[in-house]
Structure formats: structure tokens, C-alpha cells
Amino acid sequence: MTATPRNAGKPGAAELLSAHHSPARRRLIRVLGLGGLLVGVLVAVGLSLFLGSRSIDVSTVLEALSGGRSGDAVEQMVVLDLRVPRTIVGVVAGAALGLAGTLMQGLTRNPLADPGLLGVNSGASLAVVISIAVFGVASPAGYIWFAFLGATVAAVLVYAVASGRTGPTPLSLTLAGAAVTAVLTALTTLVLLRDLDTLAQYRFWSVGSLVARDAGTVVTLAPFLLVGAVLALVLGRSLNGLALGDDVARGLGQRVGLTRVVAGIAVILLCGSATSLAGPLVFVGLVVPHVARRLVGADFRWIAAYSLPLGAILLVLADTLGRLIAQPAELEAGIVVAVIGAPVLIALVRRDRGVIR
């Protein structure tokens, strides 16, 4: 007799939503849920501004944000020059990585895919190492264009390797991404082992952090982020077609090759920008789409929409938590995200009986 899994027959939130409500009511519930997540982003932003390794009165924070100058100058500087920029970068980078992860999982039909699968993280890392070792760049703000360029070149290389004669497929993208990532990681390690000064500077960027980030860089990268987000949201229906398989998608009149190219461009723009802003953060682009899928089902239009606020909430809260649990020091956001993301992903796998849908 075959044992019945403990959770078999217990539908998740998305299944219950589909089973008990009409399409119009499901849409209303999803819209309200999205509104709730946007409120959650505001709450996360508020916590990030008011909480930190340094205790600052609420009145001082409010005065600094409103432009007042009668409070403690040092505390106001902490709010305006440290907390505000890292909060803005956290919201933008988290949203971009969450959306990029959704695209990668839809593009490759691989539930364990994340933006790093295209070699984005490894390409950005190698470019940052080169910028430090060769050009003497010494600040996170100086790494931005090097990281973005490295991420773009690596992703284009992966696509070129995976394309072959018939264009990229989910399997060829996965294999090409793994191969290019391995080569770029080896080159990065080679440079770091030969230059300890470069290693000392690089390690702070590579762990994934929102510290000492300049909010002005978000404005600089805004066009890339905006174009990538628009492309990703528009591709929702096409990703639904890809989920049925290439042959079915073509039978429905979809241009599979064009969809993959446009999705790849969106991933490069989103993940390249986010990685250059906050470093090679892991788990955001992997976990967020799964959480969104549990909430809204398999429709990539809604998964993409939910991934934006979910990614922002996860990264901003992780950064805030890192400031609180190691006072007076701080834990980098990338470490906290990994600690949070791993158990969440394991729980999702176990709840779905080992298969993430």
C-alpha cells in the first residue's frame, strides 16, 4: 500500500481561491492582496527608517525627514545619509530581483532557477574585481557601471552559447549558464588569490549589502529598471504560454524565440541593475516567485505583479533585521536574506511534496 503524504489533499491558498470564487471575485481578491502588499512595503520602509543599530527618537527621525534642523545633527545625518539611501536601494533592488526571478523561472520552466542562472552574478563579480585590481575603484558607487557591464556581457554570452541553431531552450540555458558561471567564477578567484588588497575590498560588496549605497545611483539606473519592469509585466501572458511547452505555445500563435529574447533582455536590465546596486544577493529571486505562486496560483501575470512588492519587503526587512540583531554592529542584508530564504524554500518544497509548482 502506498503511503499518502501528510499534506495530500490539502489545497493551498491559490487552489482554494480558484475552487471557491468566480473569476471576477478572484480578481478582486488578488487586487486587494496586491494592495495589502503595497501597504506592507510602506510598513517595511517605515521600520527601516525608524529602526537601526543606533537608537534614534521617532521625533528626530520625523524632523529629519521633514527637513527640520533643530535636532541632533549626527542623528539627522544617520537618517538622511544612511537610512534613507539604503532603504531606497533595498526597495528597488528587492523588487527588481523578485521580478527577475519570476522571469527566469518562467523562461526556463525551472522552479529552481534564479537570475544568477544567466551568469549575471558571476559576470558582475568579475567586472567588480577587475575595476578594483586594474582601475583602482574603491567605492560601491564606483562599482556600478562595471557591475552592470559585467552582468550584461555574461548574460549575452550565456544566450549566445545556449542558442545554437534552433535558439535557446530551457535545458541549453541552464547548461550554458552553469558553464559560463563556472568559468567566470574561476577567473574571479584567480584574480583575488593574486591580489589580497582586491580581496579585502571585494568581500564587502560580494556578500550583498545596502551599506554605503548612494540613492543617486538609483536615479542613474532608473531607465534600465523601468524598461526591464515594463517588459517583465507585459510578458506575463507569454510566460503562461511557455509554461505549456514550446510546441503548444507555437500552436497558440506565440513567437517562442522572441519571447525568450525579450525576457532575457528584461532579466539583464533588472538583475544587472540590482546586482550593481546591492551586490550579488541570493535567494531573493529564488524564493519570492514561489511565495507569489502560493498566493495567486500559476498565472505569471499575477506572479510578476506580486513579486515586485514581495521582493522589496523581503530585502528591506532583511536589512533592518540585520541592523537590530547584531547591535552595535550589523549583519549584511545578503546574509540575513540567505538565513531567511533557505528555511522558507525548504518549507515550500516539503509542503508541495518535493515538487515546487
Side-chain angles (χ1 to χ4, degrees), residues 54 56 73-85:
R54 181 188 181 103
I56 301 177
V74 174
E75 292 184 343
Q76 290 190 347
M77 182 272 292
V78 169
V79 174
L80 296 177
D81 296 343
L82 298 179
R83 292 187 184 178
V84 170

Side-chain angles (χ1 to χ4, degrees), residues 30-49:
R30 286 168 173 169
V31 170
L32 292 177
L34 185 59
L37 288 177
L38 294 176
V39 173
V41 173
L42 295 179
V43 172
V45 167
L47 293 174
S48 178
L49 294 175

Side-chain angles (χ1 to χ4, degrees), residues 5 64 69-70 89 105 110 132 181 225 311 330:
R69 291 292 182 268
S70 61
V89 171
Q105 291 180 16
N110 181 356
I132 297 171
T181 296
L225 290 162
E330 297 183 7

Side-chain angles (χ1 to χ4, degrees), residues 143-162:
Y143 303 153
I144 291 176
W145 292 113
F146 287 95
F148 188 80
L149 178 62
T152 302
V153 171
V156 170
L157 180 60
V158 169
Y159 250 83
V161 172

Side-chain angles (χ1 to χ4, degrees), residues 169-232:
T169 64
L171 178 59
S172 67
L173 280 173
T174 301
L175 294 176
V180 171
T181 296
V183 172
L184 296 180
T185 300
L187 292 175
T188 300
T189 303
L190 178 63
V191 176
L192 292 175
L193 290 178
R194 294 173 60 89
D195 190 338
L196 296 182
D197 292 335
T198 299
L199 174 61
Q201 292 187 49
Y202 168 74
R203 63 192 179 95
F204 292 107
W205 178 84
S206 64
V207 74
S209 174
L210 306 183
V211 179
R213 299 314 197 241
D214 182 6
T217 57
V218 175
V219 177
T220 302
L221 293 172
F224 303 101
L225 290 162
L226 181 60
V227 172
V230 170
L231 290 177

